[in-house]
Each structure stands twice: as structure tokens, then as C-alpha cells.
Amino acid sequence: NYNDMKNARIIFIEECVSTQEYVRQLIRQEGTVQNLVVVAERQTAGRGRGENRWESEPGQNLLCTLLYPVRQKAETQSYISRAVSLALCDLLMLYAGNYAIKWPNDIMLDGKKVAGILIEHQVSGSSLAYSLIGIGLNVNQEMFPAGLNATSLIHATETKFRIKDILRTLLSCLESRLYLYESQKWKELDESYHRHLLGYQQQCRFVNHSNIEFEAMVKGVDEFGRIILEHDGSTHLYDLNEVHMKL
């Protein structure tokens, strides 16, 4: 079992460029890959996918990266993303009701973004050597920049949380879901993921990389993490950089 999250080494830091960059530096310095979690109060360049910036008030949210040493075939990497998405759903289920996974890597609560996931994989030959699992979860932040469709746990529950408590719960949820990944329970992960997938088997609006809007039926997500859309009389596969869902 690679994912001994309960005994992971946890490093709390006040500020860094990004927790993923911090972990990458540690790997370069120490040369070892072990279960490790880096938690920051503030990231000066916390990023989402591509060039997206993560907007976070210092000390109010959970910003962390987990170093996950894993020995599985590289083509299974999209199931790590599923396991992490489901772990966040498991955590939200303890406090709130109306949550969903928005493909490819956002977690929604009451129709607004409550968390984002950014995973980078290090491949060695045909296997994964390790994954850097970056998670940003809005916890105690009450105000968000205008135009940002975001929410937080405090919004949904009217309760203030201790970040360390949320981290402990998240690590427990991650351990359970990553165990399914390590046990190669692809079907179970797949079915749970689709149960929580926003817009599954529904008509939704999408925007492609040429900024053209279109409507499509969401048929699911394949084993490589591509979304399966039905439009204009046929089925199409899209990678995460090719389309995004419009809410």
C-alpha cells in the first residue's frame, strides 16, 4: 500500500510560490520519494490548469500538494484524478449536500466551485513513478472576487473550520479512494465518478478552443480522462484542453 496518508510527513509553510513547486524542490534536494503533504497558508502563484490562477485569501483555505509514490501503469493515471475527485466528494458529503464533479478537475457545491485539483505525473518507462496531487479547497473564505463563480464550506454550512481538521479528514478520504486505485478497482471508481459527474446523460453547453459554443449530450468520461460528447449526430472525444463546460 503506497498511500499511507495517516503517517505521511506533513510540512506547514506560511508562504510559497506554489505547493507543487515546493514539493518538486524537495524531491530535487532530498532525492527520495515518500508520502508527503505540503500545506501553505498562501501561494504567490497558485495556479489551476493552464494559465488559470487560484484566488485564495491567506490562511482561509486548504492549499496543499501530496507527493504520492505509486507503481502502476502510466495509462491508469486518469483514475488517480477520479479517486481524488471522489475523496473531495466524500469530504463534502460530511458537511453539505449538493456537490458534483465538473469535468475535468473542479468540484462544485451548490453550483459554484468549491475546489480545484491539479495533478502532475512523473512517468518512468511505462509506469508512474509518483504523482503530485495539488488541491485547493475553499474553507473559510467568505468573499470572492466579482465574477468568480466560487463558494466555500463556510458559505454552505455557516460554520468556521480548522484547516488542520479539514486536512486530516481529507487525508483519510484520500487514503480510502486511492486504495481503490491501488487495488485496480476501475469499475467501482468509474461508477462512483459518473454518479457524481455534473451533467452526465444531460444536454450541456460547451465552448471549444476556437471559442465556439455548442450543445452536447454528456455520455461520460473514458479511461484516459477524455469527455465523451454526443452532438451533430455522432460521438466525439475531447481532451481537457479542447473544450470546457459552460455553466
Side-chain angles (χ1 to χ4, degrees), residues 194-242:
H194 281 92
R195 220 177 8 257
H196 295 302
L197 183 65
L198 186 69
Y200 183 47
Q201 300 292 14
Q202 294 169 17
Q203 285 285 124
C204 298
R205 295 198 72 72
F206 288 86
V207 179
N208 68 16
H209 47 53
S210 310
N211 226 15
I212 293 166
E213 262 190 54
F214 63 98
E215 269 207 8
M217 167 78 76
V218 179
K219 302 304 283 184
V221 175
D222 77 359
E223 70 270 31
F224 301 111
R226 297 173 299 190
I227 197 164
I228 308 161
L229 299 182
E230 211 173 71
H231 60 92
D232 303 315
S234 60
T235 304
H236 304 263
L237 289 171
Y238 292 100
D239 229 320
L240 45 80
N241 300 316
E242 294 180 310

Side-chain angles (χ1 to χ4, degrees), residues 85-140:
S85 297
L86 287 166
L88 279 159
C89 288
D90 294 341
L91 174 113
L92 291 174
M93 187 169 64
L94 301 171
Y95 308 111
N98 187 20
Y99 53 86
I101 300 164
K102 179 175 177 261
W103 179 87
N105 54 11
D106 288 343
I107 307 297
M108 311 299 284
L109 184 60
D110 300 324
K112 295 180 173 184
K113 179 172 171 171
V114 71
I117 302 163
L118 182 69
I119 305 178
E120 293 178 10
H121 303 284
Q122 184 67 40
V123 176
S124 172
S126 62
S127 298
L128 292 170
Y130 61 83
S131 298
L132 299 183
I133 300 170
I135 294 171
L137 173 66
N138 294 336
V139 181
N140 293 321

Side-chain angles (χ1 to χ4, degrees), residues 48-228:
R49 209 166 38 78
E51 294 302 308
N52 298 339
R53 288 291 302 275
W54 180 265
E55 300 282 347
S56 181
E57 270 178 26
Q60 297 304 307
N61 302 318
L62 176 56
L63 309 171
C64 64
T65 291
L66 295 86
L67 171 54
Y68 175 46
V70 61
R71 294 278 179 274
Q72 293 270 21
K73 286 194 161 37
E75 64 259 28
T76 66
Q77 60 187 252
S78 85
Y79 285 92
I80 295 180
S81 172
R82 281 173 217 221
V84 174
S85 297
L86 287 166
L88 279 159
C89 288
D90 294 341
L91 174 113
L92 291 174
M93 187 169 64
L94 301 171
Y95 308 111
N98 187 20
Y99 53 86
I101 300 164
K102 179 175 177 261
W103 179 87
N105 54 11
D106 288 343
I107 307 297
M108 311 299 284
L109 184 60
D110 300 324
K112 295 180 173 184
K113 179 172 171 171
V114 71
I117 302 163
L118 182 69
I119 305 178
E120 293 178 10
H121 303 284
Q122 184 67 40
V123 176
S124 172
S126 62
S127 298
L128 292 170
Y130 61 83
S131 298
L132 299 183
I133 300 170
I135 294 171
L137 173 66
N138 294 336
V139 181
N140 293 321
Q141 184 163 336
E142 296 192 57
M143 302 292 287
F144 292 93
L148 200 67
N149 185 37
T151 188
S152 59
L153 283 178
I154 199 169
H155 262 295
T157 60
E158 297 180 353
T159 307
K160 200 168 168 64
F161 294 89
R162 287 181 67 229
I163 301 295
K164 285 184 181 178
D165 291 343
I166 292 293
L167 175 66
R168 198 175 300 118
T169 307
L170 176 62
L171 291 179
S172 169
C173 294
L174 280 164
E175 188 163 312
S176 304
R177 290 296 186 173
L178 287 170
Y179 180 71
L180 292 177
Y181 167 73
E182 287 164 25
S183 312
Q184 303 191 355
K185 303 271 196 246
W186 314 131
K187 190 163 182 278
E188 193 175 329
L189 282 169
D190 204 47
E191 285 173 357
S192 301
Y193 179 85
H194 281 92
R195 220 177 8 257
H196 295 302
L197 183 65
L198 186 69
Y200 183 47
Q201 300 292 14
Q202 294 169 17
Q203 285 285 124
C204 298
R205 295 198 72 72
F206 288 86
V207 179
N208 68 16
H209 47 53
S210 310
N211 226 15
I212 293 166
E213 262 190 54
F214 63 98
E215 269 207 8
M217 167 78 76
V218 179
K219 302 304 283 184
V221 175
D222 77 359
E223 70 270 31
F224 301 111
R226 297 173 299 190
I227 197 164
I228 308 161

Side-chain angles (χ1 to χ4, degrees), residues 1-17:
N1 185 5
Y2 303 105
N3 108 56
D4 185 12
M5 296 295 174
K6 284 191 291 289
N7 297 311
R9 178 179 161 207
I10 300 176
I11 300 172
F12 290 95
I13 51 177
E14 215 169 283
E15 184 177 292
C16 63
V17 174

